[in-house]
Each structure stands twice: as structure tokens, then as C-alpha cells.
Amino acid sequence: MSYKNFPMVPRVIFGRGSFNQLNEILAPKRLSINAPFIYLVDDVFKNNSWLTSRIQLSYDDKLIFVSSKEEPKTSQVDALVEEIILLTKERPSGVIGIGGGTLLDLAKAVSIMLTNNGESKDYQGWDLVKNEGVYHVGIPTISGTGAEVSRTTVLTGPDRKLGINSDFTPFDQVILDSELTKDVPTDQWFYTGMDCYIHCVESLTGTYLNAFSQSYGDMALELCKEVFLNGELPEVESQEKLMMASWHGGMSIVYSQVGVAHALSYGLSYLLGTKHGIGNCIVFDQLEEFYPEGVKLFKEMKAKHNIELPKGICADLIDEQFDIMIDISLSLEPLWENALGKNWEKTITREKLRELYQKM
Ligand code: NAD
Ligand code: ZN
């Protein structure tokens, strides 16, 4: 038995308003006046000087607004890297991702692809990255994915949706400022928050569970219940708790694995482009037989916050399309094995998956 030796984010700052310290954190990391900082910022902040006015652009620093309408793609990472190389005289001093899981994952992938040859699709998988990326900083503006702590950046490529999992993927610095999440719309708050809740359920009920994952999973689950289920928390407290739930949920899965909901929702997003948070909710709503307790609580939270999930998203699909989703889903073997054990293939047949997808 060989145990994983995985890296953690070495520096993190937590606190309301800590975003104001960004410039002072970055200053000593500047390699030269020709090696700029590249800020990748969710374009939801384009007309919001409240956030961007606090970013001090010096020398050749660039702020690039990126849309998170779609799931991040390998082609998008390659195009951003191309753009950055053309814009800059020297390899950048750092890449700073500001936004949700989409922007955080893009920043991680861009940082890696600035120092590794070829295309980002070549690195989808486990431990394929050869060189350390450029210094990269993650600043979440919505809580739930755990992308701020994880060792992966999930990308949709030409052939698959799969992460670049490597020791060079985690951020060098994270800034957790819950104030940045204050304007997240309620439905999106719920979808991304439920990603964290589902991480906990999948980790805590999985066969890969161990004391390390359980301790983080228990903590994150408790925080999710406080935020989504119990009485009304004061706004600031609720935002801070969800931010820490996301962190701990992410920590829980680095040393275990996700499960059935993620295996199925990757199929949805590969074929239909369904975004991760809402896709997980659509799938999880149908998974009583796998996660009876977890789904019961999920339905309570959904009702409490008046969330209406889209229905019938697979209603008009043809056989070939179901097959594509089923292939993607079945290829995620560690997720199934974590959820159901070594003999998962006995119960998870193509017919079974088709039946589940047809309910969504
Ligand atoms: P997201 O980044 O796609 O953003 C969702 C929406 O929220 C967008 O419309 C965005 O503009 C908006 N938004 C973000 N911050 C806001 C704010 N402060 N105010 C108002 N609107 C705001 O959503 P997400 O759920 O955080 O991330 C999903 C992505 O994360 C997926 O691509 C998924 O694959 C990835 N993911 C990665 C990991 C990992 O470990 N790397 C884990 C889970 C999910
Ligand atoms: Zn997830």
C-alpha cells in the first residue's frame, strides 16, 4: 500500500476585506518590470469597480475579463495562454484568478500551460505535468466548489471532461474574503453551495473514506447544514461559514473521491454543457437509492429556498446521445469504485445509467 503524498495550498488569508491586501501580497513576487501579473477576472465584475478598482495594475500587468457562462475548455486555456504570451515581454510573474470554480480552474490551468509545452488537453489526467507552473493565486467570489484548495483543474477537452491533476495545480496563495460573495444570486448560491454539500455526502459515504477525509467532511457537512437548513444566520456569518465549508469539502475529497452524482453530471455537462453546480443538483435529486439520507436532506434544503430545478433536460435525446453520456460516466472508474466498491460494475450497467438519465 502506498499512500498519496499531496501538496496543500501553502498560504491562505481569511477575513472580511482581506482582498485589500492583494497588492501587498503580490509586490514581493514580481520577478521584473517586464514580467507582469495577469488577472483573470469573471466578467460579472466588468461593470463593478467596487472590486476591480482595488487591483493595482503596474508596468505591463493585464486584467482580462473572462466569461463563466460555459464550463472551462482546454481550447479556452490554450487561447488565453497564447494571448498572454503575445501581450507580455517575459514569462508572467503570476496569474491571479478571481471568480468561481470556472475562473479558479482557468487560472490554475493557464499557470501550468505557461511553463509546459503542447496543448492543455495533453495534460488531462493524473500527474502528467512536468514543470512547475507560474506563481498562481486563487480568489473565490462564490463558495462551494473547493477549487480553491484542490489538486485539480477540471477542463472539457475534445475527447473528455477530465482534470489536470498534479502537484503543480494547487494555488500558491489563496485569499478568502467572504465579502466578495455578497452579490451572488440566490439560485447560483444554492447550486454552487450544493456542490459542496454533495462533495461531503459522496466523500463521507464512499468506500475510500478515511479519518483524514472524514474529519474535513464532517466539518463541511455541519457548516452546510447551518447555512442551508437551520434558522436564519446573519448574512456575514453565513457567507463566512459557506466559504469554510467549501474549503473543508475540498480538503475532504483530495484524500478520498467524489461519487455517483459527479460521475453522472460529468456526462450531462460533456454532452449538454450543463454547468457543474446545477448539473449536480439535477442528478442528485434522482439518487435516493444511492444516497437516501443525503437526498432527503437535499430536498428539504431545495424546498426551504424555493429552488425549482429544470426538468426533462434529457427528454428529447436520441440513443447516440445517451451513449455519449453513458461512456463519459462509466469512464470515471474511481468515482464509481469509491461510491459502490470494487464490484460496482455488477450493478452499474448501461441500462441502469440510461434509466437514471431519462429521469432528469
Ligand atoms: P462559476 O465559476 O461557473 O460561476 C457561476 C456563476 O456565478 C457565473 O455566472 C458567475 O459569473 C457568477 N458569479 C461568481 N461570483 C459572483 C459574485 N460574487 N457575484 C455575482 N455573480 C457571481 O461557478 P462555480 O459553481 O463556482 O464553479 C463551477 C466550475 O467549477 C465548474 O467548471 C466545475 O468543473 C469547477 N469545479 C472545479 C473543482 C476543482 O476541484 N477544481 C471542483 C468542483 C467544481
Ligand atoms: Zn463538484
Side-chain angles (χ1 to χ4, degrees):
M1 175 90 192
S2 160
Y3 295 100
K4 278 189 288 182
N5 181 8
F6 76 88
M8 289 171 60
V9 172
R11 281 185 177 268
V12 55
I13 182 167
F14 172 87
R16 200 86 176 167
S18 57
F19 183 65
N20 290 334
Q21 284 167 248
L22 175 63
N23 301 306
E24 92 195 41
I25 291 169
L26 293 182
K29 300 289 178 187
R30 189 183 292 280
L31 300 171
S32 89
I33 58 169
N34 293 323
F37 287 111
I38 308 294
Y39 298 85
L40 301 179
V41 182
D42 191 307
D43 70 2
V44 76
F45 297 109
K46 205 164 187 170
N47 301 315
N48 189 336
S49 64
W50 172 77
L51 185 133
T52 52
S53 65
R54 291 187 272 164
I55 300 174
Q56 216 172 68
L57 297 178
S58 316
Y59 307 107
D60 294 336
D61 294 351
K62 298 281 183 303
L63 193 159
I64 304 174
F65 286 110
V66 182
S67 165
S68 58
K69 284 264 162 329
E70 296 181 356
E71 292 284 281
K73 296 184 180 47
T74 53
S75 56
Q76 186 184 10
V77 171
D78 298 337
L80 275 168
V81 169
E82 198 69 20
E83 180 182 348
I84 291 167
I85 290 173
L86 288 174
L87 279 172
T88 54
K89 301 190 191 86
E90 282 175 21
R91 179 181 288 170
S93 295
V95 177
I96 299 100
I98 304 178
T102 301
L103 266 289
L104 298 180
D105 277 1
L106 283 171
K108 293 193 215 180
V110 164
S111 147
I112 287 169
M113 293 313 300
L114 281 167
T115 57
N116 286 274
N117 293 328
E119 299 173 60
S120 48
K121 71 174 169 57
D122 305 335
Y123 298 95
Q124 284 179 284
W126 280 269
D127 301 304
L128 303 170
V129 179
K130 296 187 181 58
N131 308 315
E132 187 177 352
V134 306
Y135 174 77
H136 50 305
V137 179
I139 308 178
T141 64
I142 179 169
S143 299
T145 66
E148 65 278 14
V149 287
S150 76
R151 188 180 174 272
T152 190
T153 155
V154 185
L155 301 175
T156 304
D159 311 316
R160 56 214 160 144
K161 181 171 160 115
L162 185 64
I164 300 179
N165 299 267
S166 85
D167 281 355
F168 305 121
T169 308
F171 286 111
D172 297 297
Q173 168 82 56
V174 168
I175 297 180
L176 298 179
D177 179 350
S178 65
E179 195 177 19
L180 304 185
T181 69
K182 69 181 173 58
D183 299 323
V184 172
T186 303
D187 54 349
Q188 190 62 54
W189 165 80
F190 185 82
Y191 302 145
T192 300
M194 284 302 110
D195 190 21
C196 174
Y197 172 73
I198 295 168
H199 291 159
C200 296
V201 173
E202 291 184 321
S203 168
L204 290 170
T205 60
T207 62
Y208 290 3
L209 188 66
N210 50 65
F212 185 103
S213 291
Q214 178 160 13
S215 61
Y216 284 108
D218 283 342
M219 232 177 328
L221 184 61
E222 218 31 65
L223 289 165
C224 284
K225 286 184 191 165
E226 281 189 58
V227 169
F228 292 103
L229 211 54
N230 298 350
E232 302 295 311
L233 288 178
E235 215 170 68
V236 171
E237 189 180 336
S238 171
Q239 290 161 7
E240 293 198 329
K241 285 193 160 158
L242 190 54
M243 196 156 243
M244 288 322 297
S246 174
W247 182 272
H248 286 114
M251 285 298 293
S252 182
I253 44 177
V254 281
Y255 225 96
S256 63
Q257 189 45 278
V258 285
V260 180
H262 279 74
L264 289 169
S265 96
Y266 275 27
L268 285 183
S269 63
Y270 184 83
L271 182 76
L272 304 172
T274 314
K275 295 226 50 180
H276 187 76
I278 191 170
N280 276 353
C281 288
I282 293 169
V283 172
F284 199 67
D285 211 28
Q286 304 299 337
L287 297 185
E288 286 103 332
E289 62 177 292
F290 300 100
Y291 304 112
E293 288 295 306
V295 173
K296 185 167 160 271
L297 222 57
F298 171 79
K299 289 185 191 285
E300 279 176 41
M301 296 188 279
K302 195 175 64 150
K304 181 173 161 106
H305 298 287
N306 300 314
I307 302 292
E308 283 279 347
L309 292 173
K311 287 202 177 69
I313 63 168
C314 296
D316 301 323
L317 299 184
I318 57 172
D319 289 349
E320 285 75 11
Q321 291 175 307
F322 279 109
D323 281 335
I324 291 172
M325 292 197 294
I326 293 167
D327 286 337
I328 291 280
S329 183
L330 287 176
S331 74
L332 297 161
E333 293 177 11
L335 282 64
W336 291 108
E337 187 180 294
N338 173 47
L340 303 166
K342 292 227 181 299
N343 294 325
W344 64 271
E345 279 165 309
K346 293 218 170 86
T347 46
I348 299 306
T349 59
R350 300 188 73 86
E351 295 68 42
K352 176 76 201 168
L353 295 194
R354 167 122 187 193
E355 191 191 301
L356 284 166
Y357 276 129
Q358 271 171 330
K359 289 201 243 169
M360 296 172 194

